[in-house]
Amino acid sequence: MEPVVGSKLTFLSAWFCPFAQRTWIVLNEKLVDFQLAEVALKDPKTGLWHQLENKPDWFVRLNPLGKVPVLAHKDASGTVRSVYESLICNEYLEECHPRLAMLPSDPVARAHARIIIDRFNSKFVPVFYRFLIRQEAAGQEECAGQLRSELAWLDSQVHERGPYFAGQEFSLVDAAIIPWFTRMPVLQHYRSFHLPDKLTRLAGWAQRAARRQSVLDSETVPPGAEDYSAALLQHYSRYADASANSTSARDFK
Ligand SMILES: N[C@@H](CCC(=O)N[C@@H](CS)C(=O)NCC(=O)O)C(=O)O
């Protein structure tokens, strides 16, 4: 249903979306007053995704890519303005709400935070989906190896004085990464993959970050479901049997 976009920030999301969850976590951390609008990206009967040409005009006007997350508001002149792409939404929130800062103040440390986000987004995220989509054992083994090497790199990046990636404060880096760690049970369930035992810093970070209130408050179940983890497993079944027709399934194949 089309949300009424007013001067208060509207956040377009989908309960299962890790990209939208990144932005939801930042909204929560920064105590932003927003209204949530859940977008129906899939046909509830078939579980298949609506293609761009079938998405409502109001949604494509707010994001021409037809994806969540989107942040939208009406400005002082009455014009609706929108921002999309999760990492850009998060930087936008950082600029609009600087008081509860989520990047370090030192420019080199800020750059380093962005380096971790960039590598995670360009290397880890595609392999997460590819690991589920690949049906043949050799392809899955290749993805498992790539994930293990990215996980080892991430373990080395947790701040030495932690517990978070940028130090003692939860930052945009943690918000960008944690949604894929709370989805690790999906890889365990469908691909028997788990975080290697020796990555103790990363495991400690994941446990701590997953328990943050901003993260817990961004985990919602779809109507009719009770258990978030079970609902996520059900959602990812279409990736695991390669029948998902989402943009992620196409982009990361
Ligand atoms: N690069 C985008 C990816 C967002 C994305 O793929 N969102 C998914 C939901 S998890 C979506 O809206 N997909 C729409 C579709 O596949 O049609 C971001 O970082 O925001």
Side-chain angles (χ1 to χ4, degrees), residues 2 4 18 21 36 44 75 79 83 91 119 145-146 152 165 196 204 210-211 223 230-231:
E2 178 171 0
V4 179
Q21 197 185 357
L36 171 70
D75 71 11
T79 308
V83 175
E91 292 269 358
R119 175 156 169 176
Q146 290 168 346
F165 277 96
R211 283 202 301 261

Side-chain angles (χ1 to χ4, degrees), residues 14 16-20 22-23 39 41 49-52 55 59 63 65-70 84-89 121 129 180 235-236 239 245-252:
F16 52 79
C17 179
F19 301 95
R22 283 174 162 168
T23 296
V39 180
L41 293 172
W49 298 63
H50 301 300
Q51 298 304 291
L52 188 57
K55 292 185 185 181
F59 181 40
N63 179 357
L65 304 175
K67 299 182 191 186
V68 296
V70 179
Y84 48 89
E85 285 296 315
S86 56
L87 297 177
I88 294 170
C89 289
N121 204 46
Y129 289 93
W180 279 269
H235 168 72
Y236 284 99
Y239 286 95
N245 65 335
S246 63
T247 51
S248 300
R250 267 200 306 277
D251 293 349
F252 301 140

